[in-house]
Amino acid sequence: MDEVHVETILYLAGSRYRTEYDCHRYELLRRKWNMYEKYADAFHWLESQKENMITTLKNFVQTPSCGREPEDVISFSEMFLEFLEKEGFSCRYIPVGNENGGTISAIYGEEREGKPILFSGHYDTALYRQITDKENPWKREKGKLYGSGVLDMKGGIVIAIYCARALKQIGWDKRPLKMIWSGDEEVNHKGSNGGEIFHREALGCECAFHMETGFPEKELCIGRKGGVRCKIQVEGIDAHAGKDFEKGRNAIVEMAYKILEIKNLTNMDRGTTLNVGTIQGGTIFNSVPAHCEIIVDMRFTSNQELADTKEKLEAILKKTYVEGTTTHWEYIDSMPVFETTPEGLKLFRFLQKTAENAGLPVPESIYSGGSSDAAATAMAGVPTVCACGTIGEWNHTTKEYIWEDSLVERAKFFTAAILDIFQ
Ligand SMILES: [Zn+2]
């Protein structure tokens, strides 16, 4: 930047030997300088905030919010709601049942005209407090930050908060800023309507930055598989394996036929996979088993394929191979596909351009097999990119960490993007 500035000043000082090439070069330099100027105030402020960002993240990480521990996740939501209100957001807490953390929908600058810019994600974490307290407590070491949720995804929440603060700091007021934070994403909104609420709250936004777990190579995610988990139970008739063999109806054998058919629904060309992940059945070896149970993990790349495969699966489940057995099933959780859309791709390319303009690392795109609520914002017709959060590794394990510099870098990135959208 300095070099550009010096050259510009030299130019302005005047040269008697100015050529057409010089004029062209000057024009390019002048434009570049103006571009940097646009981001400079926000960037300088964000750079001064690194330690504050780390302190905010530390407080969030040290307030546990495992999605499987209702007391913790709900008390985190109360603290978080208060935090956002102090930031000047008007907040709503939308309950999703007694067992799960509710959805927080917050808006800043509601009176401003135009569609809001959306930051979204979740505040619940994956691992039980007992495990992470002992095996991955908050720690700062050699440029890395450790702790439950630093990466997935309290770091992403902190980035969103500081983007909002930076924009406030420089007096930017072109659009409302909206935030949607789910409290039960890590349990796939099990038993709740958290997914539908997310979708509803996202309707009408200009674009969404989903602040999920960043990838180690800093790619942005433009699509994710959706997943459905199905629990299947077969009931047969138990009987002595010697004396009453013919009176028995073997539930394991019935399930075995079904498993082979289920396996055949996998279609790697379409990215459709069905994994029979667990099986339980029988009591003792010399008794015909009356019960067998499996859980199938199914993943898809399009919501149409998801619907079609569910139909094929149900046709298999309705068929009986061992007469006298019955089969029941239930979908225990479900996350829709984050489909790659032309609008989402356009947003991704726009972000690449912003990174280039702002002198930040230019991200590649990535497609992921794991699901997220980015599916809900994309299905609401909002151009969405995911994995906008902090950069690190090992989420959902006790090795979870982030690179501390990624907090400021990503806050600069998305602040610059918003400045670019409305220049
Ligand atoms: Zn996550």
Side-chain angles (χ1 to χ4, degrees):
M1 211 191 303
D2 285 346
E3 188 200 336
V4 175
H5 196 38
V6 168
E7 284 203 45
T8 310
I9 290 165
L10 282 176
Y11 184 89
L12 291 172
S15 154
R16 270 178 288 161
Y17 307 104
R18 228 176 268 158
T19 63
E20 205 179 306
Y21 171 76
D22 285 337
C23 290
H24 175 65
R25 183 164 160 70
Y26 164 71
E27 185 51 30
L28 286 180
L29 288 168
R30 195 187 59 79
R31 268 195 235 157
K32 204 169 178 187
W33 175 248
N34 285 346
M35 215 136 63
Y36 283 133
E37 275 285 288
K38 179 174 58 177
Y39 311 125
D41 288 348
F43 280 18
H44 287 155
W45 185 80
L46 283 167
E47 278 157 16
S48 75
Q49 294 301 305
K50 182 178 163 183
E51 291 307 312
N52 289 340
M53 290 183 90
I54 292 173
T55 307
T56 308
L57 180 56
K58 181 181 174 184
N59 291 338
F60 283 0
V61 169
Q62 288 185 329
T63 311
S65 60
C66 169
R68 290 168 177 80
E69 295 176 314
E71 230 170 82
D72 277 354
V73 80
I74 289 169
S75 92
F76 184 95
S77 75
E78 288 162 4
M79 177 281 288
F80 190 26
L81 206 63
E82 212 179 292
F83 182 98
L84 289 172
E85 273 165 1
K86 274 197 199 134
E87 292 291 308
F89 281 81
S90 334
C91 302
R92 277 177 304 132
Y93 178 81
I94 308 161
V96 298
N98 297 333
E99 291 296 301
N100 299 10
T103 308
I104 292 175
S105 179
I107 191 152
Y108 182 84
E110 206 170 356
E111 69 291 348
R112 297 174 189 165
E113 275 177 29
K115 297 172 167 184
I117 305 286
L118 177 62
F119 288 100
S120 53
H122 61 91
Y123 63 83
D124 61 327
T125 54
L127 297 185
Y128 291 101
R129 174 184 187 170
Q130 231 183 334
I131 300 171
T132 52
D133 271 2
K134 224 188 307 159
E135 293 179 44
N136 194 20
W138 169 266
K139 189 172 68 180
R140 184 177 184 183
E141 205 176 82
K142 294 181 185 155
K144 290 179 178 174
L145 304 172
Y146 295 81
S148 179
V150 275
L151 176 61
D152 190 3
M153 50 149 285
K154 289 176 174 171
I157 294 177
V158 172
I159 293 169
I161 289 166
Y162 277 79
C163 284
R165 284 189 181 176
L167 291 166
K168 221 188 296 178
Q169 192 72 21
I170 62 168
W172 182 93
D173 61 357
K174 298 224 183 332
R175 286 291 177 91
L177 293 176
K178 188 164 184 175
M179 293 186 176
I180 309 173
W181 307 114
S182 164
D184 66 348
E185 195 265 3
E186 291 293 4
V187 293
N188 291 343
H189 310 299
K190 192 176 172 185
S192 93
N193 57 346
E196 290 96 85
I197 291 170
F198 214 92
H199 176 266
R200 193 183 71 209
E201 289 296 317
L203 288 168
C205 285
E206 177 77 42
C207 61
F209 303 125
H210 202 67
M211 306 309 289
E212 266 285 1
T213 311
F215 285 87
E217 300 301 322
K218 306 186 180 180
E219 301 96 331
L220 291 176
C221 185
I222 51 156
R224 287 178 182 271
K225 283 191 177 183
V228 175
R229 257 60 62 181
C230 185
K231 183 168 158 184
I232 301 162
Q233 290 175 296
V234 172
E235 304 301 333
I237 298 171
D238 56 350
H240 190 287
K243 185 163 69 73
D244 296 320
F245 182 76
E246 280 183 276
K247 289 184 192 157
R249 293 293 178 267
N250 193 316
I252 292 181
V253 172
E254 171 68 18
M255 190 66 94
Y257 279 111
K258 289 193 156 85
I259 287 173
L260 292 177
E261 289 223 30
I262 292 168
K263 174 191 84 78
N264 290 338
L265 296 181
T266 289
N267 184 331
M268 294 309 287
D269 292 341
R270 290 202 195 125
T272 302
T273 58
L274 285 91
N275 178 56
V276 179
T278 64
I279 182 162
Q280 283 167 325
T283 48
I284 47 171
F285 67 89
N286 52 7
S287 176
V288 176
H291 182 82
C292 185
E293 183 179 315
I294 61 171
I295 298 181
V296 188
D297 175 293
M298 307 151 62
R299 298 194 184 228
F300 310 91
T301 56
S302 85
N303 288 312
Q304 186 56 51
E305 176 75 0
L306 187 154
D308 293 348
T309 310
K310 266 169 102 173
E311 212 172 283
K312 289 181 198 159
L313 173 73
E314 286 169 21
I316 294 169
L317 299 180
K318 281 176 191 158
K319 230 180 333 180
T320 304
Y321 300 83
V322 177
E323 218 182 299
T325 60
T326 50
T327 302
H328 311 277
W329 64 93
E330 64 172 317
Y331 296 104
I332 48 181
D333 63 47
S334 162
M335 289 288 275
V337 180
F338 167 24
E339 290 186 0
T340 308
T341 61
E343 297 75 26
L345 279 175
K346 205 171 142 197
L347 176 62
F348 164 72
R349 291 199 194 101
F350 182 86
L351 289 170
Q352 280 188 313
K353 197 91 202 126
T354 287
E356 207 180 302
N357 290 345
L360 296 166
V362 179
E364 296 294 324
S365 66
I366 196 165
Y367 188 92
S368 170
S371 348
S372 86
D373 279 327
T377 58
M379 282 165 86
V382 180
T384 300
V385 285
C386 188
C388 300
T390 42
I391 307 301
E393 277 183 297
W394 303 117
N395 52 330
H396 293 205
T397 79
T398 53
K399 297 182 284 182
E400 182 175 5
Y401 79 90
I402 60 162
W403 292 103
E404 59 181 42
D405 286 344
S406 67
L407 284 165
V408 173
E409 188 180 289
R410 283 257 149 131
K412 282 160 94 175
F413 187 13
F414 294 102
T415 303
I418 294 172
L419 293 175
D420 275 359
I421 296 174
F422 302 106
Q423 59 192 336

